[in-house]
């Protein structure tokens, strides 16, 4: 139904996509960028405070690295390295084939994924696992508010409809996170939410979504 308006090019070890779509107007908003910088600095301060106890908890619960690092794709298919606190066992990728996918479409979800550690479940339910991503926000790979950054396995299957969700920078939060979070398991519904964000966006809209994010996190709404 949709043609994918891209061509693959390579920059070093990265596979990059050149898109015909134009970036969303939010990408050029000075207010949004200032909000990102201020918010990321606050987030990194919180990260500095809680880093040691979280790192110790991760190590005690399951041996392995403190961080989980993965290549993701952002604005217009630009690749970047995303880092989170590790919430799964260290060999999680090798065990992925043993976990059934409960979601529909180009996402992977399992509510009772056995690979998630005890500390990992707590980190995910409180969203503390995402604190390291404030660095991605500060350097401009991500924004406080946007879309979920996809993996390589996802974007190689994208249609033109799906690529439109990357007309904005990926975000720590967004429409999907405040409107269902883990309870939304249909990828097309997530795309609908992402496109709704682009349609409704204005500077104050980001502030509204950030406020709603805090209520979702503290209320443990849709947490996995």
């Amino acid at each position: 139904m949709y043609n994918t308006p891209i061509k693959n090019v390579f920059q070093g070890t990265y596979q990059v996509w050149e898109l015909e779509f134009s970036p969303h107007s939010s990408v050029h908003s000075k207010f949004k960028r200032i909000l990102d910088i201020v918010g990321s600095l606050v987030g990194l301060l919180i990260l500095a405070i809680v880093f040691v106890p979280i790192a110790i908890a991760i190590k005690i619960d399951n041996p392995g690295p403190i961080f989980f690092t993965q290549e993701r794709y952002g604005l217009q298919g630009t690749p970047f390295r995303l880092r989170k606190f590790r919430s799964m066992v260290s060999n999680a990728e090798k065990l992925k084939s043993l976990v059934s996918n409960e979601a529909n479409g180009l996402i992977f979800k399992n509510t009772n994924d056995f690979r998630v550690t005890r500390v990992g479940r707590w980190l995910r339910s409180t969203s503390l696992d995402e604190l390291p991503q404030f660095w991605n926000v500060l350097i401009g790979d991500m924004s406080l508010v946007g879309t979920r950054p996809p993996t390589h396995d996802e974007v190689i299957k994208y249609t033109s409809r799906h690529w439109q969700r990357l007309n904005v920078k990926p975000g720590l939060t967004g429409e999907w996170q405040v409107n269902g979070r883990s309870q939304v398991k249909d990828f097309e519904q997530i795309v609908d939410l992402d496109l709704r964000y682009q349609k409704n966006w204005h500077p104050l809209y980001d502030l509204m979504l950030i406020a709603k994010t805090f209520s979702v996190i503290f209320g443990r709404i849709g947490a996995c």
Side-chain angles (χ1 to χ4, degrees):
M1 181 176 179
Y2 296 99
N3 294 320
T4 308
I6 63 173
K7 61 179 180 179
N8 293 340
V9 296
F10 289 86
Q11 294 180 358
T13 59
Y14 288 124
Q15 185 174 11
V16 183
W17 284 266
E18 293 184 351
L19 295 144
E20 296 175 2
F21 298 124
S22 298
H24 188 265
S25 58
S26 63
V27 176
H28 307 293
S29 170
K30 292 182 179 179
F31 176 86
K32 186 176 178 69
R33 182 56 186 152
I34 291 173
L35 182 64
D36 285 346
I37 292 173
V38 173
S40 62
L41 290 175
V42 173
L44 290 172
L45 177 60
I46 297 173
L47 172 61
I49 294 172
V50 303
F51 176 81
V52 172
I54 289 179
I56 293 173
I58 292 172
K59 284 287 190 179
I60 292 176
D61 189 34
N62 182 263
I66 296 170
F67 296 112
F68 170 73
T69 304
Q70 188 178 45
E71 181 179 296
R72 295 291 184 96
Y73 289 82
L75 178 67
Q76 299 282 278
T78 303
F80 67 97
R81 303 296 288 180
L82 178 144
R83 183 174 285 112
K84 296 183 177 183
F85 280 121
R86 182 171 61 87
S87 60
M88 288 186 171
V89 295
S90 56
N91 61 337
E93 288 300 310
K94 294 181 180 179
L95 300 174
K96 187 175 181 179
S97 61
L98 302 178
V99 183
S100 61
N101 187 7
E102 298 175 348
N104 298 318
L106 305 181
I107 53 171
F108 187 92
K109 285 188 173 296
N110 184 290
T111 305
N112 298 306
D113 194 330
F114 74 90
R115 299 173 300 166
V116 180
T117 64
R118 290 173 298 173
V119 169
R121 290 198 180 278
W122 175 73
L123 290 173
R124 289 185 174 195
S125 69
T126 57
S127 294
L128 289 173
D129 62 317
E130 298 185 358
L131 282 176
Q133 294 177 59
F134 279 110
W135 175 252
N136 292 110
V137 176
L138 182 63
I139 64 177
D141 291 332
M142 297 178 62
S143 177
L144 293 178
V145 184
T147 185
R148 172 188 163 274
T151 64
H152 180 267
D153 290 344
E154 295 169 11
V155 296
I156 59 174
K157 300 175 184 177
Y158 270 15
T159 66
S160 59
R161 163 178 155 80
H162 303 146
W163 276 106
Q164 291 179 65
R165 66 193 298 268
L166 296 183
N167 284 344
V168 299
K169 287 184 179 181
L172 282 173
T173 189
E175 292 279 0
W176 169 66
Q177 289 88 337
V178 302
N179 290 289
R181 206 175 175 187
S182 297
Q183 296 176 357
V184 179
K185 296 182 179 180
D186 189 313
F187 178 66
E188 296 302 328
Q189 187 177 351
I190 293 175
V191 175
D192 287 340
L193 291 170
D194 288 335
L195 298 182
R196 185 174 78 178
Y197 169 73
Q198 295 182 30
K199 180 180 179 181
N200 294 337
W201 181 85
H202 57 78
L204 295 182
Y205 196 67
D206 278 2
L207 291 175
M208 182 194 72
L209 289 177
I210 291 172
K212 290 182 67 175
T213 298
F214 282 112
S215 66
V216 168
I217 292 174
F218 291 125
R220 301 291 181 88
I221 300 172
C224 58

